[in-house]
Amino acid sequence: MSVQAYNYEALTIEKPTKRPKPLTKKKKEISGEDIIILATLEKLKKDLDAIYSSLDSVTDPVLIDSYIFEMNAINMRYKFYLRQCKDKGIVGKIF
């Protein structure tokens, strides 16, 4: 076996001249209206989960139709509030 000579000067790492920018941005305060929107989204999500679970146990066609209409209405409200969150930039702050 032969012994190899290492050049330690070539292995030195130069320090960057510029500091990297922080990965996190400054977070703005969440207003009362933002909290209401987020609370409404959580409630609508719980309502949807309840409808999905109750829809599994129903066999009457009239009740099935009723749950489907209610599910569609809640989905539309959920999309509306989610769009408001995205427009206000709440999604980036919270999620």
Side-chain angles (χ1 to χ4, degrees):
M1 278 192 181
S2 65
V3 178
Q4 296 179 347
Y6 290 100
N7 183 1
Y8 288 105
E9 292 175 7
L11 296 176
T12 59
I13 299 173
E14 294 181 24
K15 292 183 179 179
T17 56
K18 294 182 179 178
R19 284 188 145 185
K21 293 182 180 179
L23 297 177
T24 59
K25 295 180 181 179
K26 291 183 180 179
K27 294 185 178 181
K28 297 179 182 177
E29 292 291 322
I30 298 173
S31 69
E33 185 179 342
D34 298 344
I35 293 172
I36 292 171
I37 292 171
L38 291 172
T40 305
L41 278 173
E42 286 182 27
K43 182 186 178 307
L44 290 171
K45 175 81 169 104
K46 288 178 184 178
D47 291 346
L48 276 175
D49 291 340
I51 288 175
Y52 284 129
S53 65
S54 59
L55 188 61
D56 290 336
S57 62
V58 175
T59 57
D60 184 36
V62 175
L63 281 177
I64 291 173
D65 287 342
S66 170
Y67 282 126
I68 290 173
F69 285 123
E70 190 174 353
M71 185 175 51
N72 287 334
I74 292 174
N75 272 327
M76 295 299 285
R77 279 184 283 185
Y78 187 83
K79 288 178 184 179
F80 171 77
Y81 283 109
L82 192 61
R83 192 176 336 111
Q84 278 192 340
C85 281
K86 289 179 182 179
D87 291 345
K88 290 183 170 215
I90 301 172
V91 175
K93 295 179 204 172
I94 303 298
F95 300 107

